[in-house]
Short mmCIF file of all heavy atoms in Angstrom, two decimals:
data_model
loop_
_atom_site.label_atom_id
_atom_site.label_comp_id
_atom_site.label_asym_id
_atom_site.label_seq_id
_atom_site.Cartn_x
_atom_site.Cartn_y
_atom_site.Cartn_z
N LEU A 750 71.18 106.56 -167.52
CA LEU A 750 70.33 105.30 -167.84
C LEU A 750 70.86 104.21 -167.04
O LEU A 750 72.14 103.99 -167.00
CB LEU A 750 70.34 105.13 -169.31
CG LEU A 750 69.34 103.95 -169.87
CD1 LEU A 750 67.96 104.41 -169.45
CD2 LEU A 750 69.54 103.78 -171.18
N GLY A 751 70.05 103.49 -166.34
CA GLY A 751 70.46 102.39 -165.54
C GLY A 751 69.34 101.29 -165.29
O GLY A 751 68.27 101.58 -165.74
N VAL A 752 69.79 100.27 -164.64
CA VAL A 752 68.85 99.13 -164.31
C VAL A 752 68.85 99.10 -162.80
O VAL A 752 69.81 99.03 -162.13
CB VAL A 752 69.35 97.87 -164.88
CG1 VAL A 752 68.49 96.67 -164.54
CG2 VAL A 752 69.36 97.97 -166.43
N VAL A 753 67.70 99.19 -162.20
CA VAL A 753 67.51 98.93 -160.85
C VAL A 753 67.56 97.44 -160.51
O VAL A 753 66.71 96.65 -161.02
CB VAL A 753 66.17 99.62 -160.35
CG1 VAL A 753 65.91 99.30 -158.84
CG2 VAL A 753 66.12 101.06 -160.64
N LEU A 754 68.45 97.01 -159.67
CA LEU A 754 68.65 95.63 -159.26
C LEU A 754 67.80 95.27 -158.02
O LEU A 754 67.27 94.17 -157.94
CB LEU A 754 70.08 95.36 -159.07
CG LEU A 754 70.99 95.56 -160.27
CD1 LEU A 754 72.47 95.45 -159.98
CD2 LEU A 754 70.69 94.70 -161.46
N ASP A 755 67.80 96.24 -157.03
CA ASP A 755 67.03 96.03 -155.94
C ASP A 755 66.35 97.36 -155.56
O ASP A 755 67.00 98.38 -155.80
CB ASP A 755 67.92 95.58 -154.67
CG ASP A 755 68.51 94.20 -154.81
OD1 ASP A 755 67.76 93.31 -155.13
OD2 ASP A 755 69.66 94.07 -154.69
N ILE A 756 65.21 97.31 -154.90
CA ILE A 756 64.52 98.56 -154.52
C ILE A 756 63.73 98.43 -153.16
O ILE A 756 63.27 97.35 -152.95
CB ILE A 756 63.63 99.11 -155.62
CG1 ILE A 756 63.24 100.59 -155.37
CG2 ILE A 756 62.45 98.22 -155.81
CD1 ILE A 756 62.70 101.34 -156.57
N SER A 757 63.74 99.42 -152.40
CA SER A 757 62.99 99.50 -151.21
C SER A 757 62.44 100.87 -151.03
O SER A 757 62.71 101.72 -151.88
CB SER A 757 63.96 99.17 -149.93
OG SER A 757 64.81 100.31 -149.70
N LEU A 758 61.75 101.00 -149.94
CA LEU A 758 61.21 102.49 -149.70
C LEU A 758 62.30 103.53 -149.46
O LEU A 758 62.15 104.66 -149.71
CB LEU A 758 60.28 102.38 -148.47
CG LEU A 758 58.88 101.80 -148.70
CD1 LEU A 758 58.16 101.78 -147.37
CD2 LEU A 758 58.10 102.38 -149.75
N ASN A 759 63.39 102.95 -149.09
CA ASN A 759 64.48 103.87 -148.61
C ASN A 759 65.66 104.02 -149.69
O ASN A 759 66.39 105.01 -149.66
CB ASN A 759 65.24 103.43 -147.38
CG ASN A 759 64.25 103.40 -146.21
OD1 ASN A 759 63.44 104.29 -145.97
ND2 ASN A 759 64.25 102.26 -145.43
N GLY A 760 65.66 103.24 -150.77
CA GLY A 760 66.66 103.38 -151.69
C GLY A 760 66.72 102.24 -152.76
O GLY A 760 65.77 101.47 -152.78
N ALA A 761 67.80 102.15 -153.42
CA ALA A 761 67.90 101.11 -154.58
C ALA A 761 69.36 100.84 -154.84
O ALA A 761 70.28 101.59 -154.57
CB ALA A 761 67.21 101.74 -155.89
N ARG A 762 69.55 99.65 -155.39
CA ARG A 762 70.98 99.29 -155.99
C ARG A 762 70.78 99.35 -157.42
O ARG A 762 69.77 98.80 -158.02
CB ARG A 762 71.31 97.89 -155.53
CG ARG A 762 72.60 97.41 -156.07
CD ARG A 762 73.18 96.09 -155.37
NE ARG A 762 72.20 94.98 -155.52
CZ ARG A 762 72.38 93.92 -156.26
NH1 ARG A 762 73.53 93.86 -156.85
NH2 ARG A 762 71.48 93.00 -156.39
N VAL A 763 71.64 100.00 -158.10
CA VAL A 763 71.48 100.43 -159.54
C VAL A 763 72.78 100.01 -160.28
O VAL A 763 73.89 100.17 -159.73
CB VAL A 763 71.25 101.89 -159.72
CG1 VAL A 763 71.17 102.32 -161.11
CG2 VAL A 763 70.00 102.28 -158.93
N MET A 764 72.59 99.46 -161.47
CA MET A 764 73.65 99.14 -162.40
C MET A 764 73.55 100.14 -163.53
O MET A 764 72.48 100.32 -164.16
CB MET A 764 73.59 97.70 -162.88
CG MET A 764 74.80 97.31 -163.79
SD MET A 764 74.79 95.62 -164.22
CE MET A 764 73.20 95.52 -165.01
N SER A 765 74.72 100.87 -163.88
CA SER A 765 74.76 101.86 -164.98
C SER A 765 76.11 102.03 -165.50
O SER A 765 77.06 101.71 -164.75
CB SER A 765 74.27 103.20 -164.34
OG SER A 765 74.36 104.26 -165.33
N GLN A 766 76.14 102.44 -166.70
CA GLN A 766 77.53 102.74 -167.24
C GLN A 766 78.09 104.08 -166.72
O GLN A 766 79.34 104.32 -166.83
CB GLN A 766 77.43 102.88 -168.83
CG GLN A 766 77.12 101.52 -169.49
CD GLN A 766 78.32 100.60 -169.26
OE1 GLN A 766 79.55 100.93 -169.34
NE2 GLN A 766 77.88 99.26 -168.91
N ALA A 767 77.21 104.89 -166.02
CA ALA A 767 77.75 106.10 -165.40
C ALA A 767 78.57 105.79 -164.22
O ALA A 767 78.29 104.82 -163.44
CB ALA A 767 76.49 106.89 -165.05
N SER A 768 79.50 106.51 -164.00
CA SER A 768 80.40 106.45 -162.85
C SER A 768 79.87 107.31 -161.74
O SER A 768 79.79 108.53 -161.93
CB SER A 768 81.85 106.74 -163.33
OG SER A 768 82.64 106.62 -162.12
N MET A 769 79.67 106.77 -160.59
CA MET A 769 79.15 107.53 -159.47
C MET A 769 80.11 107.40 -158.25
O MET A 769 80.63 106.36 -158.07
CB MET A 769 77.71 107.02 -159.02
CG MET A 769 76.62 107.20 -160.11
SD MET A 769 76.33 108.96 -160.30
CE MET A 769 75.74 108.93 -161.90
N SER A 770 80.13 108.37 -157.49
CA SER A 770 80.87 108.34 -156.24
C SER A 770 79.98 108.63 -155.03
O SER A 770 79.01 109.39 -155.21
CB SER A 770 81.95 109.47 -156.35
OG SER A 770 82.75 109.26 -157.35
N PRO A 771 80.39 108.06 -153.88
CA PRO A 771 79.54 108.27 -152.64
C PRO A 771 79.48 109.80 -152.44
O PRO A 771 80.49 110.58 -152.62
CB PRO A 771 80.42 107.66 -151.56
CG PRO A 771 80.96 106.46 -152.29
CD PRO A 771 81.37 107.05 -153.62
N GLY A 772 78.30 110.24 -152.12
CA GLY A 772 77.96 111.66 -151.88
C GLY A 772 77.39 112.36 -153.10
O GLY A 772 76.74 113.45 -152.94
N ASP A 773 77.48 111.79 -154.33
CA ASP A 773 76.90 112.37 -155.45
C ASP A 773 75.32 112.48 -155.24
O ASP A 773 74.69 111.49 -154.68
CB ASP A 773 77.09 111.59 -156.68
CG ASP A 773 78.50 111.71 -157.23
OD1 ASP A 773 79.23 112.55 -156.70
OD2 ASP A 773 78.89 110.95 -158.14
N GLN A 774 74.73 113.64 -155.60
CA GLN A 774 73.38 113.77 -155.37
C GLN A 774 72.69 113.74 -156.85
O GLN A 774 73.17 114.35 -157.77
CB GLN A 774 73.02 115.09 -154.67
CG GLN A 774 73.54 115.12 -153.29
CD GLN A 774 73.15 116.37 -152.60
OE1 GLN A 774 72.64 117.29 -153.08
NE2 GLN A 774 73.54 116.37 -151.22
N LEU A 775 71.55 113.02 -156.88
CA LEU A 775 70.90 112.72 -158.22
C LEU A 775 69.44 113.07 -158.10
O LEU A 775 68.80 112.83 -157.06
CB LEU A 775 71.01 111.33 -158.59
CG LEU A 775 72.57 110.66 -158.62
CD1 LEU A 775 72.39 109.15 -158.82
CD2 LEU A 775 73.31 111.36 -159.67
N ALA A 776 68.90 113.51 -159.20
CA ALA A 776 67.31 113.55 -159.35
C ALA A 776 67.10 112.48 -160.45
O ALA A 776 67.62 112.55 -161.53
CB ALA A 776 66.98 114.90 -159.94
N ILE A 777 66.38 111.50 -160.03
CA ILE A 777 66.18 110.33 -160.91
C ILE A 777 64.63 110.04 -161.25
O ILE A 777 63.81 110.44 -160.45
CB ILE A 777 66.83 109.04 -160.37
CG1 ILE A 777 66.17 108.67 -159.04
CG2 ILE A 777 68.31 109.12 -160.22
CD1 ILE A 777 66.59 107.26 -158.40
N SER A 778 64.51 109.50 -162.36
CA SER A 778 63.09 109.01 -162.77
C SER A 778 63.15 107.53 -162.77
O SER A 778 64.05 106.96 -163.43
CB SER A 778 62.75 109.56 -164.12
OG SER A 778 62.78 111.01 -164.19
N LEU A 779 62.12 106.98 -162.10
CA LEU A 779 62.09 105.52 -162.04
C LEU A 779 60.68 105.14 -162.79
O LEU A 779 59.71 105.80 -162.66
CB LEU A 779 61.91 105.03 -160.59
CG LEU A 779 63.22 105.21 -159.83
CD1 LEU A 779 62.82 104.89 -158.32
CD2 LEU A 779 64.30 104.31 -160.25
N ARG A 780 60.83 103.98 -163.48
CA ARG A 780 59.53 103.42 -164.07
C ARG A 780 59.50 102.04 -163.50
O ARG A 780 60.28 101.18 -163.76
CB ARG A 780 59.55 103.36 -165.65
CG ARG A 780 58.25 102.83 -166.14
CD ARG A 780 58.19 102.98 -167.64
NE ARG A 780 58.32 104.38 -168.04
CZ ARG A 780 58.88 104.64 -169.23
NH1 ARG A 780 59.23 103.75 -170.04
NH2 ARG A 780 59.04 105.94 -169.45
N LEU A 781 58.35 101.75 -162.78
CA LEU A 781 58.21 100.40 -162.13
C LEU A 781 57.44 99.50 -163.26
O LEU A 781 56.74 100.02 -163.95
CB LEU A 781 57.38 100.63 -160.95
CG LEU A 781 58.04 101.34 -159.77
CD1 LEU A 781 57.00 101.62 -158.65
CD2 LEU A 781 59.27 100.82 -159.24
N PRO A 782 57.64 98.25 -163.04
CA PRO A 782 57.09 97.32 -163.97
C PRO A 782 55.51 97.54 -163.88
O PRO A 782 54.93 97.73 -162.76
CB PRO A 782 57.43 95.96 -163.43
CG PRO A 782 58.64 96.18 -162.71
CD PRO A 782 58.62 97.48 -162.24
N ASP A 783 54.86 97.43 -164.93
CA ASP A 783 53.38 97.50 -165.01
C ASP A 783 52.87 98.87 -164.72
O ASP A 783 51.72 99.09 -164.44
CB ASP A 783 52.68 96.38 -164.16
CG ASP A 783 52.96 95.05 -164.56
OD1 ASP A 783 53.23 94.78 -165.66
OD2 ASP A 783 53.04 94.25 -163.62
N GLN A 784 53.78 99.84 -164.74
CA GLN A 784 53.36 101.34 -164.58
C GLN A 784 54.01 102.13 -165.78
O GLN A 784 55.17 102.03 -165.98
CB GLN A 784 53.79 101.86 -163.20
CG GLN A 784 53.16 101.19 -162.12
CD GLN A 784 53.55 101.80 -160.74
OE1 GLN A 784 54.07 102.90 -160.70
NE2 GLN A 784 53.22 101.16 -159.64
N SER A 785 53.04 102.72 -166.49
CA SER A 785 53.49 103.59 -167.61
C SER A 785 54.17 104.90 -167.28
O SER A 785 55.10 105.33 -167.93
CB SER A 785 52.43 103.75 -168.58
OG SER A 785 51.32 104.50 -167.93
N ALA A 786 53.70 105.49 -166.14
CA ALA A 786 54.31 106.77 -165.85
C ALA A 786 55.47 106.67 -164.98
O ALA A 786 55.59 105.73 -164.20
CB ALA A 786 53.22 107.61 -164.98
N THR A 787 56.49 107.53 -165.13
CA THR A 787 57.63 107.49 -164.30
C THR A 787 57.43 108.27 -163.01
O THR A 787 56.39 109.06 -162.96
CB THR A 787 58.91 108.22 -164.95
OG1 THR A 787 58.50 109.50 -165.28
CG2 THR A 787 59.26 107.43 -166.23
N MET A 788 58.28 107.99 -162.04
CA MET A 788 58.17 108.79 -160.73
C MET A 788 59.44 109.42 -160.51
O MET A 788 60.53 108.75 -160.85
CB MET A 788 57.58 107.94 -159.65
CG MET A 788 58.51 106.78 -159.31
SD MET A 788 57.66 105.86 -157.97
CE MET A 788 58.99 104.83 -157.45
N SER A 789 59.62 110.60 -159.95
CA SER A 789 60.81 111.30 -159.72
C SER A 789 61.19 111.19 -158.24
O SER A 789 60.20 111.38 -157.42
CB SER A 789 60.69 112.78 -160.25
OG SER A 789 60.43 112.76 -161.53
N VAL A 790 62.38 110.95 -157.89
CA VAL A 790 62.89 110.94 -156.48
C VAL A 790 64.21 111.56 -156.59
O VAL A 790 64.94 111.68 -157.55
CB VAL A 790 62.95 109.52 -155.94
CG1 VAL A 790 61.53 109.02 -155.86
CG2 VAL A 790 63.86 108.61 -156.64
N ASP A 791 64.62 112.24 -155.51
CA ASP A 791 65.99 112.71 -155.24
C ASP A 791 66.81 111.62 -154.50
O ASP A 791 66.15 110.97 -153.55
CB ASP A 791 65.94 113.96 -154.50
CG ASP A 791 65.38 115.13 -155.25
OD1 ASP A 791 65.37 115.04 -156.49
OD2 ASP A 791 64.94 116.05 -154.65
N ALA A 792 68.05 111.48 -154.74
CA ALA A 792 68.66 110.30 -154.05
C ALA A 792 70.20 110.86 -153.87
O ALA A 792 70.71 111.70 -154.59
CB ALA A 792 68.70 109.14 -154.89
N THR A 793 70.86 110.18 -152.98
CA THR A 793 72.28 110.36 -152.72
C THR A 793 72.96 109.01 -152.86
O THR A 793 72.48 108.00 -152.41
CB THR A 793 72.60 110.94 -151.26
OG1 THR A 793 71.87 112.26 -151.22
CG2 THR A 793 74.03 111.16 -151.02
N VAL A 794 74.10 108.96 -153.68
CA VAL A 794 74.95 107.76 -153.72
C VAL A 794 75.61 107.53 -152.40
O VAL A 794 76.27 108.42 -151.91
CB VAL A 794 75.99 107.98 -154.88
CG1 VAL A 794 76.84 106.71 -154.92
CG2 VAL A 794 75.22 108.27 -156.32
N ARG A 795 75.44 106.27 -151.95
CA ARG A 795 75.97 105.97 -150.60
C ARG A 795 77.12 105.05 -150.71
O ARG A 795 78.06 105.05 -149.90
CB ARG A 795 74.96 105.34 -149.65
CG ARG A 795 73.88 106.32 -149.25
CD ARG A 795 74.43 107.39 -148.42
NE ARG A 795 73.48 108.41 -148.07
CZ ARG A 795 73.73 109.59 -147.72
NH1 ARG A 795 75.05 110.00 -147.72
NH2 ARG A 795 72.86 110.44 -147.33
N TRP A 796 77.17 104.18 -151.76
CA TRP A 796 78.42 103.36 -151.96
C TRP A 796 78.44 103.00 -153.49
O TRP A 796 77.46 103.20 -154.14
CB TRP A 796 78.32 102.03 -151.11
CG TRP A 796 76.99 101.25 -151.46
CD1 TRP A 796 75.83 101.22 -150.74
CD2 TRP A 796 76.81 100.24 -152.48
NE1 TRP A 796 75.01 100.43 -151.29
CE2 TRP A 796 75.56 99.73 -152.33
CE3 TRP A 796 77.67 99.79 -153.52
CZ2 TRP A 796 75.04 98.77 -153.19
CZ3 TRP A 796 77.19 98.85 -154.39
CH2 TRP A 796 75.88 98.36 -154.13
N GLY A 797 79.51 102.54 -153.90
CA GLY A 797 79.69 102.20 -155.26
C GLY A 797 80.91 101.38 -155.66
O GLY A 797 81.88 101.54 -154.89
N ASN A 798 80.83 100.58 -156.72
CA ASN A 798 82.00 99.95 -157.18
C ASN A 798 81.80 99.64 -158.67
O ASN A 798 80.74 99.10 -159.06
CB ASN A 798 82.29 98.62 -156.45
CG ASN A 798 81.19 97.68 -156.35
OD1 ASN A 798 80.30 97.73 -157.12
ND2 ASN A 798 81.10 96.89 -155.27
N ARG A 799 82.66 100.04 -159.43
CA ARG A 799 82.56 99.94 -160.88
C ARG A 799 81.33 100.52 -161.39
O ARG A 799 81.13 101.82 -161.29
CB ARG A 799 82.80 98.52 -161.41
CG ARG A 799 84.25 98.16 -161.50
CD ARG A 799 84.56 96.86 -162.14
NE ARG A 799 84.77 96.80 -163.56
CZ ARG A 799 85.72 97.32 -164.25
NH1 ARG A 799 86.50 98.13 -163.93
NH2 ARG A 799 85.90 96.99 -165.51
N HIS A 800 80.40 99.83 -161.88
CA HIS A 800 79.09 100.31 -162.48
C HIS A 800 77.88 99.91 -161.63
O HIS A 800 76.79 99.96 -162.12
CB HIS A 800 78.94 99.87 -163.89
CG HIS A 800 80.09 100.31 -164.80
ND1 HIS A 800 80.22 101.71 -165.07
CD2 HIS A 800 81.13 99.64 -165.37
CE1 HIS A 800 81.35 101.84 -165.77
NE2 HIS A 800 81.91 100.62 -166.04
N THR A 801 78.08 99.57 -160.37
CA THR A 801 76.91 99.30 -159.47
C THR A 801 77.12 100.19 -158.28
O THR A 801 78.10 100.40 -157.70
CB THR A 801 76.94 97.86 -159.02
OG1 THR A 801 76.96 97.07 -160.17
CG2 THR A 801 75.76 97.50 -158.13
N PHE A 802 75.90 100.79 -157.87
CA PHE A 802 76.02 101.72 -156.75
C PHE A 802 74.64 101.67 -156.02
O PHE A 802 73.65 101.34 -156.53
CB PHE A 802 76.43 103.19 -157.13
CG PHE A 802 75.52 103.77 -158.37
CD1 PHE A 802 74.39 104.35 -158.12
CD2 PHE A 802 76.01 103.46 -159.70
CE1 PHE A 802 73.65 104.88 -159.21
CE2 PHE A 802 75.24 104.02 -160.78
CZ PHE A 802 74.17 104.69 -160.52
N GLY A 803 74.79 102.09 -154.75
CA GLY A 803 73.66 102.16 -153.88
C GLY A 803 73.04 103.59 -153.66
O GLY A 803 74.00 104.51 -153.41
N LEU A 804 71.90 103.75 -153.79
CA LEU A 804 71.18 105.09 -153.66
C LEU A 804 70.33 105.00 -152.39
O LEU A 804 69.64 104.12 -152.07
CB LEU A 804 70.31 105.39 -154.84
CG LEU A 804 70.94 105.48 -156.21
CD1 LEU A 804 69.86 105.67 -157.29
CD2 LEU A 804 71.97 106.49 -156.24
N GLU A 805 70.48 106.19 -151.64
CA GLU A 805 69.48 106.41 -150.58
C GLU A 805 68.52 107.49 -151.03
O GLU A 805 68.95 108.64 -151.46
CB GLU A 805 70.22 107.00 -149.27
CG GLU A 805 69.23 107.24 -148.21
CD GLU A 805 69.97 107.95 -146.94
OE1 GLU A 805 71.11 108.24 -147.01
OE2 GLU A 805 69.29 108.09 -145.96
N PHE A 806 67.21 107.20 -151.06
CA PHE A 806 66.23 108.20 -151.47
C PHE A 806 66.22 109.36 -150.34
O PHE A 806 66.01 109.00 -149.22
CB PHE A 806 64.83 107.61 -151.62
CG PHE A 806 64.83 106.52 -152.77
CD1 PHE A 806 63.85 105.50 -152.62
CD2 PHE A 806 65.58 106.55 -153.79
CE1 PHE A 806 63.77 104.41 -153.63
CE2 PHE A 806 65.58 105.55 -154.79
CZ PHE A 806 64.79 104.57 -154.77
N THR A 807 66.28 110.49 -150.87
CA THR A 807 66.31 111.67 -149.88
C THR A 807 65.04 112.52 -149.97
O THR A 807 64.66 113.21 -149.07
CB THR A 807 67.46 112.57 -150.02
OG1 THR A 807 67.54 113.02 -151.44
CG2 THR A 807 68.79 111.80 -149.81
N ALA A 808 64.38 112.41 -151.09
CA ALA A 808 63.07 113.15 -151.35
C ALA A 808 62.18 112.34 -152.16
O ALA A 808 62.42 112.05 -153.33
CB ALA A 808 63.36 114.60 -151.87
N VAL A 809 61.07 111.91 -151.57
CA VAL A 809 60.05 111.15 -152.36
C VAL A 809 58.69 111.73 -152.15
O VAL A 809 58.32 111.94 -150.87
CB VAL A 809 59.98 109.60 -151.86
CG1 VAL A 809 59.09 108.76 -152.69
CG2 VAL A 809 61.43 109.03 -151.99
N SER A 810 58.01 112.03 -153.25
CA SER A 810 56.65 112.54 -153.05
C SER A 810 55.71 111.58 -152.49
O SER A 810 55.99 110.32 -152.56
CB SER A 810 56.19 113.08 -154.40
OG SER A 810 55.85 112.00 -155.28
N GLN A 811 54.64 112.00 -151.92
CA GLN A 811 53.60 111.15 -151.24
C GLN A 811 53.07 110.12 -152.38
O GLN A 811 52.93 109.02 -152.17
CB GLN A 811 52.40 111.97 -150.79
CG GLN A 811 51.52 111.07 -149.96
CD GLN A 811 52.09 110.40 -148.77
OE1 GLN A 811 52.81 110.98 -148.08
NE2 GLN A 811 51.75 109.05 -148.64
N LEU A 812 52.83 110.62 -153.65
CA LEU A 812 52.34 109.85 -154.69
C LEU A 812 53.42 108.76 -154.99
O LEU A 812 53.03 107.62 -155.24
CB LEU A 812 51.98 110.65 -155.94
CG LEU A 812 51.51 109.96 -157.13
CD1 LEU A 812 50.29 109.07 -156.87
CD2 LEU A 812 51.29 110.86 -158.38
N ALA A 813 54.60 109.19 -155.16
CA ALA A 813 55.69 108.20 -155.51
C ALA A 813 55.81 107.19 -154.35
O ALA A 813 56.00 105.92 -154.65
CB ALA A 813 57.01 108.94 -155.72
N GLU A 814 55.75 107.62 -153.18
CA GLU A 814 55.87 106.59 -152.07
C GLU A 814 54.59 105.61 -152.08
O GLU A 814 54.78 104.47 -151.86
CB GLU A 814 55.82 107.37 -150.77
CG GLU A 814 55.93 106.34 -149.57
CD GLU A 814 55.95 107.09 -148.20
OE1 GLU A 814 56.36 108.26 -148.13
OE2 GLU A 814 55.66 106.33 -147.20
N THR A 815 53.47 106.15 -152.35
CA THR A 815 52.27 105.21 -152.56
C THR A 815 52.50 104.19 -153.69
O THR A 815 52.20 102.97 -153.42
CB THR A 815 51.00 106.11 -152.76
OG1 THR A 815 50.83 107.04 -151.62
CG2 THR A 815 49.84 105.14 -152.86
N ARG A 816 52.94 104.70 -154.73
CA ARG A 816 53.15 103.80 -155.92
C ARG A 816 54.24 102.65 -155.61
O ARG A 816 54.09 101.50 -155.93
CB ARG A 816 53.56 104.59 -157.15
CG ARG A 816 52.36 105.37 -157.68
CD ARG A 816 52.82 106.22 -158.83
NE ARG A 816 53.39 105.54 -159.89
CZ ARG A 816 54.13 106.10 -160.88
NH1 ARG A 816 54.26 107.34 -160.92
NH2 ARG A 816 54.54 105.20 -161.78
N LEU A 817 55.32 103.17 -154.91
CA LEU A 817 56.36 102.23 -154.51
C LEU A 817 55.84 101.24 -153.50
O LEU A 817 56.15 100.07 -153.57
CB LEU A 817 57.56 103.13 -153.95
CG LEU A 817 58.79 102.33 -153.74
CD1 LEU A 817 59.28 101.48 -154.92
CD2 LEU A 817 59.99 103.33 -153.35
N ARG A 818 55.12 101.58 -152.53
CA ARG A 818 54.60 100.72 -151.47
C ARG A 818 53.68 99.75 -152.15
O ARG A 818 53.81 98.43 -151.95
CB ARG A 818 53.73 101.46 -150.46
CG ARG A 818 54.53 102.11 -149.40
CD ARG A 818 53.69 102.79 -148.37
NE ARG A 818 54.43 103.59 -147.42
CZ ARG A 818 55.06 103.11 -146.43
NH1 ARG A 818 55.10 101.76 -146.14
NH2 ARG A 818 55.72 103.89 -145.61
N LYS A 819 52.84 100.12 -153.10
CA LYS A 819 52.02 99.15 -153.87
C LYS A 819 52.81 98.13 -154.62
O LYS A 819 52.56 96.97 -154.52
CB LYS A 819 51.14 99.97 -154.82
CG LYS A 819 50.11 99.07 -155.54
CD LYS A 819 49.15 100.04 -156.39
CE LYS A 819 48.18 99.12 -157.14
NZ LYS A 819 47.33 99.94 -158.00
N PHE A 820 53.81 98.64 -155.32
CA PHE A 820 54.66 97.75 -156.09
C PHE A 820 55.41 96.79 -155.16
O PHE A 820 55.46 95.54 -155.34
CB PHE A 820 55.70 98.54 -156.90
CG PHE A 820 56.87 97.65 -157.41
CD1 PHE A 820 56.52 96.91 -158.54
CD2 PHE A 820 58.06 97.63 -156.89
CE1 PHE A 820 57.57 96.07 -159.11
CE2 PHE A 820 59.08 96.86 -157.35
CZ PHE A 820 58.78 96.08 -158.48
N LEU A 821 55.90 97.19 -154.06
CA LEU A 821 56.68 96.37 -153.09
C LEU A 821 55.77 95.30 -152.41
O LEU A 821 56.21 94.17 -152.14
CB LEU A 821 57.43 97.13 -152.04
CG LEU A 821 58.61 98.02 -152.59
CD1 LEU A 821 59.05 98.96 -151.50
CD2 LEU A 821 59.72 97.19 -153.12
N SER A 822 54.52 95.68 -152.27
CA SER A 822 53.51 94.75 -151.60
C SER A 822 53.21 93.52 -152.56
O SER A 822 52.92 92.40 -152.12
CB SER A 822 52.24 95.43 -151.16
OG SER A 822 51.52 95.80 -152.34
N ARG A 823 53.36 93.78 -153.84
CA ARG A 823 53.13 92.74 -154.85
C ARG A 823 54.43 91.98 -155.36
O ARG A 823 54.23 90.86 -155.88
CB ARG A 823 52.48 93.34 -156.18
CG ARG A 823 51.16 93.95 -155.81
CD ARG A 823 50.56 94.26 -157.11
NE ARG A 823 51.49 95.11 -158.03
CZ ARG A 823 51.24 96.03 -158.74
NH1 ARG A 823 50.10 96.50 -158.94
NH2 ARG A 823 52.29 96.58 -159.50
N ALA A 824 55.60 92.56 -155.01
CA ALA A 824 56.77 91.98 -155.65
C ALA A 824 57.18 90.72 -154.76
O ALA A 824 57.04 90.66 -153.56
CB ALA A 824 57.90 93.03 -155.50
N PRO A 825 57.65 89.67 -155.47
CA PRO A 825 58.06 88.46 -154.61
C PRO A 825 59.32 88.75 -153.88
O PRO A 825 60.09 89.44 -154.35
CB PRO A 825 58.27 87.45 -155.79
CG PRO A 825 58.53 88.18 -156.95
CD PRO A 825 57.75 89.46 -156.82
N LEU A 826 59.42 88.10 -152.77
CA LEU A 826 60.66 88.22 -151.91
C LEU A 826 61.70 87.36 -152.52
O LEU A 826 61.46 86.19 -152.90
CB LEU A 826 60.29 87.80 -150.48
CG LEU A 826 59.38 88.59 -149.77
CD1 LEU A 826 59.12 88.12 -148.37
CD2 LEU A 826 59.90 90.14 -149.69
N SER A 827 62.90 87.85 -152.61
CA SER A 827 64.03 87.07 -153.21
C SER A 827 64.91 86.38 -152.06
O SER A 827 65.02 86.84 -151.07
CB SER A 827 64.93 87.81 -153.99
OG SER A 827 64.33 88.95 -154.67
#
């Protein structure tokens, strides 16, 4: 269980109590704001420190990519 701090088409920065190491491979479920269904993606941990780590998405279905693109097009830039 974790909180996505930043997300892009290629990956995400995540905060979690889980301890991750670079190279760890994960199958994760994401729920985007205003969307009730989760989407599944495969990811590899690329960096980490304490309870924050960076994920690179390695397998994203066409449907998940479409939903993510739609979300990112509406999200405000920080």
Side-chain angles (χ1 to χ4, degrees):
L750 188 61
V752 176
V753 175
L754 303 173
D755 294 310
I756 193 164
S757 72
L758 289 175
N759 300 315
R762 181 169 56 113
V763 177
M764 181 174 59
S765 174
Q766 290 298 316
S768 180
M769 296 290 153
S770 299
D773 287 352
Q774 296 182 354
L775 308 172
I777 60 174
S778 295
L779 296 170
R780 182 173 305 149
L781 298 172
D783 300 326
Q784 295 186 11
S785 58
T787 60
M788 58 184 196
S789 298
V790 299
D791 293 338
T793 300
V794 176
R795 292 299 178 201
W796 59 267
N798 54 26
R799 281 190 89 57
H800 297 294
T801 303
F802 48 91
L804 298 176
E805 177 185 11
F806 298 151
T807 55
V809 181
S810 71
Q811 186 64 44
L812 177 59
E814 182 179 338
T815 299
R816 290 174 58 197
L817 188 53
R818 282 183 187 278
K819 183 177 178 181
F820 169 75
L821 291 170
S822 71
R823 295 185 317 213
L826 296 176
S827 325

